[in-house]
Amino acid sequence: WMMLGNLLHNNQEFIAALDKYHEIIKSDPLHNPYCYSGIDFNYAAIRNYKPAIFNMKKYLILYTDAPHARAA
């Protein structure tokens, strides 16, 4: 599902990508921090910044060693 979410994002199908990422999180909310990052990028792409920031914070909490965390 993660790859499908990425593919949908790359095809600018942001709402469909959000649906896929949310499906993954429903099944396992703590063990796939990359989904929160994917959600963040898709919300930002549709200019819905409040949930984008919220999900990026979740991502950074779950993945404290994220390679781009220091740049944020």
Side-chain angles (χ1 to χ4, degrees):
W1 289 116
M2 185 74 175
M3 290 176 66
L4 181 55
N6 293 341
L7 178 66
L8 290 165
H9 175 83
N10 290 340
N11 289 330
Q12 298 185 356
E13 297 178 44
F14 305 120
I15 302 299
L18 283 167
D19 290 341
K20 292 301 170 199
Y21 289 123
H22 282 293
E23 283 181 38
I24 297 168
I25 289 173
K26 275 185 185 178
S27 66
D28 195 1
L30 299 177
H31 291 96
N32 202 337
Y34 295 106
C35 287
Y36 293 103
S37 179
I39 290 171
D40 142 48
F41 286 120
N42 284 285
Y43 274 125
I46 60 173
R47 297 190 168 136
N48 194 347
Y49 299 114
K50 213 173 214 182
I53 292 167
F54 178 77
N55 282 283
M56 181 51 79
K57 286 180 180 180
K58 281 186 181 180
Y59 168 70
L60 293 172
I61 288 168
L62 293 173
Y63 188 26
T64 55
D65 295 330
H68 51 283
R70 292 180 185 250

